[in-house]
Amino acid sequence: MANRVTTVTERALTTLVNDIDHIDSQSLNGVSVVKVFFRPNANIQTALAQVIAISQTGIRFLPPGSTPPLIIQYSASTVPILQIGLSSHVLSEQQLNDLTLNFFRTQLITVPGAAIPFPYGGKQRVVSVDIDTQALQSKHLTPVDVVNAMSAQNLILPSGTAKIGPLEYQVELNASPTTIAELNDIPVRTVNGATIYMRDVAHVRDGFTPQLNVVRQDGIRGTLVSIMKNGNASTTNVVKDIRAMLPRVMQSMPPNLDVRLLFDQSLFVRAAIQGVLREAVTAACLTAAMILLFLGNWRSTLIIAISIPLSILTSILVMSALGETFNIMTLGGLALAVGILVDDATVELENIERNLGMGKELKQAILDGAQQIAVPALVSTLSICIVFVPMFFLTGVARYLFIPLAEAVVFAMLASYLLSRTLVPTLVMYLFRGHEHDSQKRKTNLFGRVQAGFEHRFERLRESYRNGMEAVMLHRAMFVVIFLGFCVLSGGLYFFLGRDFFPNVDAGQFRLHLRGRAGLRIEETARLVDEVEQEIRRQVPQKEITTVLDNIGLPYSGINLSYSNSGTIGTSDAEILVSLSADHHPTRDYIHQLRETLPRKFPEAEFFFQPADIVSQILNFGLPSPVDIQLVGADYQNNYVTAQRIANRLRHVPGAVDVHVQQMMNLPTLHLDVDRVRAQQVGISQRDVAQNLLVSLSSSFQTTPSFWLNPKNGVSYNVAIMSPQYRVDSLQALMNTPVSNGTASPQILANLASVKPVMTPAVVSHYNVTPVVDVYASVDGRDLGGVAKDIESVVAPFRNNLPRGTHMDIRGQVETMRSSFAGLEFGLLMSVVLVYLLIVVNFQSWLDPFIIITALPGALAGILWMLFVTHTTLSVPALTGAVMSIGVATANSILMISFAREKMDEGLDPIKAAIEAGFTRMRPVIMTALAMIIGMVPLALGLGEGGEQNAPLGRAVIGGLLFATVATLFFVPVVFSLFHGRRLQRASARAERTS
């Protein structure tokens, strides 16, 4: 299969198809799956047309009887979002499979965005023609004679019409029997006037193909339908539409059919979305309470509370126009934006109130307040937006994850600035009319007294800040050295944090893959799974188990293999999915426990856990593990030996678990060596032997397809002629297979061939047409980056001793994580540069923008400290939070430096101007930072389903802003006074020399 079908197909693809990134393939017994991965800029529709064109042409170069390939388009998000289990205490497995495949599945396929492959489990219904080998021998017939008789007597041919008189008649022929019983009466051969019927040498029945796949739901056998999500479809919408359609579908199903919805990923997605929404609402309420406390005016709070949802609604409308959907990332971006959206309106209101406090009329105070901060606020908003620009240059999975988040924040921020220029001043004009000086009046109610007490303490804090700044200004150089030294030393924490691509999520499910010895019969695998399932139920309390789903063996269709990411290669493989109740203990604890006990109790089997949640499956992009060490080269045997040695070494790496070699080289095989000369002497060719053996063992359908139409349900079933498996139960039974070509005297196989047992590969994998051996590994108890680093050191000695022509690569989630980290770290650097250049354009100076971004080392130090203290690894969400912190920290510094420049223009020296700027802008700076920090607290706690995903983002923002606020209030003014003080000294010195 690998050399005659897969390799030919792969080479054909490379001749015509453009923009290929790489080609993966798996070749199993009788089926091959070739996956073509394209570059991010490829036109998928063009590529699809090219693949179809070359595949149809390539059929002529494949062995006779090869079926044309099925071309399926899929992406990283094409993963199961819902499993539908069908079972019955009355219907047989054959009836269940037939019902699911031909009637149940076909009605659900109309749901938009749903991809539904063939069902798993059950027994495929066919018209079985069970050959009686002894009867064939006694009648001097062979399996091919039975096939020829069936092909000649069971026809699918039209007859035509006849014009008789005034009418034209349709002419019908009993070309195909209408009942299965009639098939038994088909004549096979007439010898000396005596007719041999089909019933004399075989038994035709309503049967099934040999079972390769068993599905059990809590121990009850049945079938399983996997619902996949296609393209950009919404998970929740697809599941909702499936649920809505089921009652109508069930009306046409037998009443004794039980249908259960299993492993509904939309529940996790919906819970995660509700969690993010809950966090956003909580953040908005906390932020409003903080603003009310700071401003002491319900009118100001109401104005801000109106502007926030309007900004978010605007962002939602724009994203909807761009085709985005509600998901964890877009809602995470909106939750992230809640804290920042306070910024524009708060600064505007605070400045208006400051102008009112100076005795100005309401309209003039609004105009002056808006004018004074129009440009600084615009630059601040653009500074936050521009830091997200580098995200649009990410590649791979990270790009599709974080661009929606960036869009959500950017659109909300731009809307917020627009509203702060238009709606906020208008609302102030209407709501503050007649209440311009309410803030100066003494309030006697409870809240008024609380707010007055807070205001009094805050003023004391401002005075303490002024005194502190005056003291710091006396030792500016020492303060700068200490602060920068702290930031540099804090940078050392980077090496202790560890790195993960994405935080682990407890979805309340786990997925155990079991593999017995190669070639194990499916009945034996099912028995082994029974025992393993009993052990799982002993380890996990029964009250915490909702469902246990067993999927044993190979799926019947190559379509299912194409979609599958389980790594199943034969009937010795099985998958056990366990769904836990809502109040379960941590899933990781059970997985760790089972990793310890299962290999000890079942040493004859291999066990490895695979991702069960939708996020991890998408991030792995079709692989069963996050780490894939590939040995690519033509020397398959030696590469396999090397892979085993690497796997043995990796098992000793801390944090590396479920280490195994994917390929198996010990599939028990019986090799038949036909003596061509002896066969020719009795009038039999190699082709005759092969055809008779194929029919006897694998059925005639592959080479001589025949169908029987069931008039009751309108379904055409395959007619499969073969020896029942229970009759070929020994080597002697196999070698007694009769062989003939229809003219020569029949011989038994033992007269023409010898047999010897050998070992062959159970699966042959290719990477870019070259054979590959995969060593898979998962990570537990450590960060992915740390384990990957140790793996690199383990495999390094092997790189120099690989067979000639072999190279080794580490792929999987590790590769994606590294490329994403490189992209985000470069984006972090570019965001600083872009912000700096933006401020340069605004200030028309190179110095002041540099002073502004001196707050960023403090922000980065804060991020590292927060992640370190909370034991959070550095991940893509954490880096996104770092990017966000840079934008907000810069925005606050811009307001500070803008005001200090104004004070210098009024005649103050740099030190006094810096102190005055800090004293005056302390309130809006603290309000903005606190709003963002408070808004991130629910996100940082990581509560609820999927909360672990965005928790690093919230923690990074909180840590960054805590330290950045301190840097903005202390370090930035000191740097401003130093640079501008020296600038003035040089200017005065030049003036003295000139005079």
Side-chain angles (χ1 to χ4, degrees), residues 644-875:
Q644 290 286 7
R645 290 168 56 204
I646 291 173
N648 290 334
R649 292 284 302 277
L650 289 186
R651 292 186 179 100
H652 299 288
V653 173
V657 295
D658 300 332
V659 179
H660 65 282
V661 178
Q662 167 65 4
Q663 288 72 23
M664 300 177 75
M665 305 292 287
N666 58 344
L667 181 68
T669 304
L670 297 175
H671 179 75
L672 294 171
D673 191 359
V674 178
D675 188 333
R676 286 178 169 83
V677 175
R678 185 187 300 173
Q680 186 64 39
Q681 289 173 349
V682 293
I684 295 173
S685 66
Q686 184 83 4
R687 179 178 181 177
D688 300 328
V689 178
Q691 285 186 334
N692 281 277
L693 195 61
L694 171 69
V695 171
S696 179
L697 299 181
S698 299
S699 92
S700 61
F701 186 78
Q702 189 68 22
T703 55
T704 314
S706 182
F707 302 91
W708 176 76
L709 174 65
N710 186 338
K712 292 182 180 179
N713 60 16
V715 178
S716 288
Y717 295 100
N718 302 339
V719 177
I721 302 171
M722 66 179 293
S723 298
Q725 286 191 323
Y726 62 85
R727 284 186 176 160
V728 188
D729 58 353
S730 66
L731 202 57
Q732 181 180 355
L734 173 66
M735 299 306 285
N736 280 339
T737 301
V739 177
S740 178
N741 59 7
T743 57
S745 176
Q747 301 287 329
I748 62 170
L749 184 61
N751 295 341
L752 307 173
S754 59
V755 61
K756 63 176 180 180
V758 296
M759 294 294 181
T760 57
V763 59
V764 177
S765 306
H766 286 177
Y767 186 86
N768 288 339
V769 195
T770 308
V772 62
V773 181
D774 298 277
V775 181
Y776 289 138
S778 297
V779 177
D780 183 43
R782 277 187 72 192
D783 63 288
L784 179 59
V787 173
K789 185 178 178 181
D790 288 352
I791 288 175
E792 286 280 10
S793 61
V794 166
V795 302
F798 291 95
R799 291 186 187 274
N800 300 324
N801 300 306
L802 293 174
R804 179 178 172 79
T806 296
H807 64 273
M808 185 189 303
D809 296 300
I810 299 180
R811 296 193 171 91
Q813 200 180 121
V814 172
E815 186 181 32
T816 311
M817 180 188 74
R818 286 173 177 166
S819 64
S820 300
F821 267 57
L824 278 174
E825 286 167 355
F826 176 74
L828 199 62
L829 178 63
M830 283 303 298
S831 63
V832 175
V833 174
L834 289 172
V835 167
Y836 177 70
L837 295 176
L838 173 69
I839 308 169
V840 166
V841 172
N842 175 65
F843 280 84
Q844 295 295 301
S845 164
W846 294 99
L847 177 61
D848 286 333
F850 174 76
I851 295 170
I852 288 170
I853 65 171
T854 54
L856 300 186
L860 295 176
I863 292 165
L864 294 174
W865 274 106
M866 179 59 76
L867 295 178
F868 180 75
V869 168
T870 57
H871 303 287
T872 305
T873 57
L874 200 62
S875 59

Side-chain angles (χ1 to χ4, degrees), residues 218-219 532-542 545 548:
D218 295 322
V532 171
E533 187 177 323
Q534 290 171 13
E535 182 61 28
I536 290 173
R537 292 183 182 276
R538 280 194 289 268
Q539 299 287 340
V540 182
Q542 187 59 41
I545 295 179
V548 178

Side-chain angles (χ1 to χ4, degrees), residues 521-677:
R521 291 172 55 164
I522 193 166
E523 298 88 353
E524 293 299 311
T525 308
R527 181 191 57 77
L528 180 60
V529 170
D530 269 337
E531 297 174 3
V532 171
E533 187 177 323
Q534 290 171 13
E535 182 61 28
I536 290 173
R537 292 183 182 276
R538 280 194 289 268
Q539 299 287 340
V540 182
Q542 187 59 41
K543 63 179 182 179
E544 293 189 21
I545 295 179
T546 304
T547 305
V548 178
L549 180 67
D550 304 331
N551 193 345
I552 307 166
L554 272 174
Y556 292 113
S557 171
I559 300 175
N560 299 53
L561 282 172
S562 301
Y563 284 125
S564 174
N565 60 5
S566 64
T568 297
I569 60 175
T571 54
S572 61
D573 283 88
E575 209 174 72
I576 304 174
L577 284 85
V578 180
S579 177
L580 303 177
S581 60
D583 55 347
H584 64 88
H585 287 81
T587 309
R588 181 180 293 180
D589 294 348
Y590 292 131
I591 291 175
H592 181 76
Q593 197 173 328
L594 290 169
R595 275 199 181 106
E596 295 290 329
T597 57
L598 290 178
R600 191 169 58 249
K601 294 199 172 184
F602 305 96
E604 72 276 19
E606 257 189 312
F607 299 94
F608 30 93
F609 287 86
Q610 296 175 342
D613 62 282
I614 186 172
V615 176
S616 300
Q617 290 182 45
I618 290 173
L619 294 178
N620 281 350
F621 203 167
L623 291 176
S625 298
V627 181
D628 177 14
I629 303 169
Q630 292 188 328
L631 283 83
V632 186
D635 195 345
Y636 205 54
Q637 292 289 342
N638 283 330
N639 287 346
Y640 181 78
V641 173
T642 305
Q644 290 286 7
R645 290 168 56 204
I646 291 173
N648 290 334
R649 292 284 302 277
L650 289 186
R651 292 186 179 100
H652 299 288
V653 173
V657 295
D658 300 332
V659 179
H660 65 282
V661 178
Q662 167 65 4
Q663 288 72 23
M664 300 177 75
M665 305 292 287
N666 58 344
L667 181 68
T669 304
L670 297 175
H671 179 75
L672 294 171
D673 191 359
V674 178
D675 188 333
R676 286 178 169 83
V677 175

Side-chain angles (χ1 to χ4, degrees), residues 17-21 36-48 50 73 400:
V17 183
N18 300 327
D19 297 321
I20 292 177
D21 183 79
V36 184
F37 295 80
F38 293 96
R39 300 188 184 281
N41 60 348
N43 185 318
I44 295 300
Q45 300 308 317
T46 301
L48 199 60
Q50 292 173 337
Q73 183 180 344
Y400 298 100

Side-chain angles (χ1 to χ4, degrees), residues 294 350 455 458-459 920-928:
F294 263 92
E350 195 274 337
E455 193 66 30
F458 188 75
E459 286 303 319
T920 306
R921 289 299 185 194
M922 183 179 179
R923 182 187 295 268
V925 166
I926 288 182
M927 283 179 67
T928 302

Side-chain angles (χ1 to χ4, degrees), residues 251-511:
Q251 291 176 3
S252 60
M253 296 291 114
N256 46 27
L257 179 67
D258 298 324
V259 175
R260 290 177 59 193
L261 300 184
L262 311 168
F263 300 92
D264 184 352
Q265 296 286 354
S266 73
L267 298 177
F268 169 73
V269 173
R270 194 178 295 113
I273 289 174
Q274 288 172 353
V276 174
L277 285 173
R278 188 166 54 250
E279 290 161 359
V281 172
T282 305
C285 294
L286 291 173
T287 303
M290 185 272 297
I291 293 167
L292 184 61
L293 187 62
F294 263 92
L295 299 181
N297 189 327
W298 66 267
R299 293 177 178 83
S300 300
T301 306
L302 178 63
I303 292 170
I304 294 171
I306 290 172
S307 69
I308 291 176
L310 286 177
S311 301
I312 289 177
L313 183 61
T314 304
S315 179
I316 290 171
L317 290 174
V318 176
M319 286 193 297
S320 176
L322 293 175
E324 298 290 352
T325 60
F326 272 125
N327 54 55
I328 296 170
M329 301 312 296
T330 51
L331 288 173
L334 294 174
L336 188 63
V338 166
I340 322 170
L341 294 178
V342 178
D343 188 20
D344 290 322
T346 302
V347 172
E348 176 86 4
L349 283 167
E350 195 274 337
N351 211 41
I352 291 172
E353 290 211 358
R354 192 172 64 84
N355 279 276
L356 284 172
M358 294 166 63
K360 297 180 182 180
E361 291 297 323
L362 178 60
K363 185 175 181 181
Q364 192 60 42
I366 292 172
L367 293 174
D368 290 348
Q371 182 186 10
Q372 289 165 4
I373 63 165
V375 176
L378 175 62
V379 176
S380 299
T381 301
L382 291 178
S383 297
I384 295 173
C385 295
I386 208 168
V387 297
F388 287 99
V389 170
M391 286 198 178
F392 290 87
F393 297 98
L394 288 173
T395 58
V397 177
R399 173 183 175 85
Y400 298 100
L401 283 173
F402 288 97
I403 280 184
L405 183 146
E407 288 175 345
V409 176
V410 169
F411 295 142
M413 285 302 302
L414 293 176
S416 173
Y417 177 77
L418 184 64
L419 291 172
S420 72
R421 300 297 95 205
T422 54
L423 180 67
V424 170
T426 306
L427 290 174
V428 170
M429 189 69 190
Y430 282 98
L431 291 177
F432 275 58
R433 186 175 293 161
H435 302 278
E436 295 92 335
H437 305 291
D438 281 5
S439 59
Q440 299 173 12
K441 296 178 183 178
R442 183 177 181 82
K443 299 172 184 175
T444 56
N445 57 25
L446 177 61
F447 175 74
R449 293 195 299 272
V450 170
Q451 203 277 330
F454 171 78
E455 193 66 30
H456 175 69
R457 290 180 178 82
F458 188 75
E459 286 303 319
R460 285 172 56 187
L461 177 65
R462 290 178 70 200
E463 289 297 332
S464 300
Y465 167 73
R466 186 199 290 271
N467 297 334
M469 279 302 300
E470 290 173 351
V472 167
M473 288 297 182
L474 298 176
H475 308 282
R476 289 178 294 174
M478 184 184 299
F479 177 76
V480 169
V481 170
I482 292 173
F483 185 86
L484 289 178
F486 170 77
C487 292
V488 171
L489 291 174
S490 298
L493 293 174
Y494 176 84
F495 302 100
F496 296 95
L497 287 179
R499 300 193 301 170
D500 278 313
F501 184 36
F502 227 69
N504 290 322
V505 174
D506 188 344
Q509 303 170 2
F510 65 82
R511 180 175 163 205

Side-chain angles (χ1 to χ4, degrees), residues 470 473 476 899-917 973 976-982 984-985:
E470 290 173 351
M473 288 297 182
R476 289 178 294 174
F899 195 85
R901 284 291 300 270
E902 289 177 14
K903 290 301 178 183
M904 279 189 64
D905 293 341
E906 293 174 7
L908 292 181
D909 64 76
I911 292 178
K912 290 183 179 179
I915 294 174
E916 188 63 26
F976 178 87
S977 66
L978 279 172
F979 279 100
H980 279 280
R982 290 185 181 179
L984 286 179
Q985 289 174 6

